[in-house]
Amino acid sequence: MAKPFLSVILPITEKSNRLPLVLLDLDRNLSKAEYSSEILAINLTGDSGVSEVVRKMGETVKNLKIIDGEVGTFSSAIKIGMLLTGGNIRLLALSGRSIPVDQLNTMIPHFKSGADLVVASRDFEGEKRNYRKLVRRIAIEKAAGLVMKFFLKDIKDPFSDFLAFTEVAAEKIFTDLKPIKHFTNLSILLAAKKNNFNIKEVSVYVS
């Protein structure tokens, strides 16, 4: 295929019956977009059956690729995925959720305005939304309070599961990335800050 506008990098960390539904939902959302796209799934489970499921889904889901085998740690696998994809914009989706395309489209215009990295600050739908946000805030403050306070104080959701990069920013950040164990998100944002990349944050709804 020709160079896609958007590459979605989807790490798979556990075997789940939801995987086909996640891929179908992502494909459905991307099919509504006016730009070309590809999906790169990274099998981190060590289970060859997961790769078979993804390959089978490739018969239905357009432009779906899989990396399997010995890819190493979570952080190194993400680096491989980000550098192997060819999109002008590269979306790292660190969870099993899929952003509806109308939400994704709120991120894209910021790149035209000079952003190098766009953070999707999550807002959860449903009755448990406020409770989940409170629990998450407490967990974040305990885990990385000092980092957030002094280096990432202007980012509301530094543990966001959805980060989008320009091609230039992705290649610079992930080529040089030295991730902090268990804090891949923070490591990425700190690397972006260090390289003086322009970071924007937008609110999106995920279910």
Side-chain angles (χ1 to χ4, degrees), residues 3-4 7-9 38-40 65 80-87 89-90 167 171:
K3 183 181 180 69
S7 293
V8 179
I9 295 85
E38 65 175 355
I39 304 169
L40 176 63
K65 304 174 184 176
I80 293 171
M82 291 296 289
L83 296 174
L84 278 180
T85 52
I89 303 298
R90 301 178 188 185
E167 180 178 10
E171 292 184 352

Side-chain angles (χ1 to χ4, degrees), residues 6 8 10 18-32 39 91-104 107 120 122-125 161-162 204-207:
L6 175 71
V8 179
L10 183 70
R18 292 186 65 250
L19 179 58
L21 297 177
V22 169
L23 292 172
L24 286 172
D25 187 50
L26 188 55
D27 180 59
R28 178 177 59 83
N29 289 329
L30 292 174
S31 295
K32 299 175 185 176
I39 304 169
L91 174 67
L92 181 57
L94 292 170
S95 79
R97 298 184 183 91
S98 176
I99 302 181
V101 71
D102 60 334
Q103 299 289 301
L104 181 59
M107 303 173 72
R122 295 158 299 168
D123 217 346
F124 292 96
E125 295 178 338
D161 291 329
F162 301 101
V204 298
Y205 288 92
V206 295
S207 56

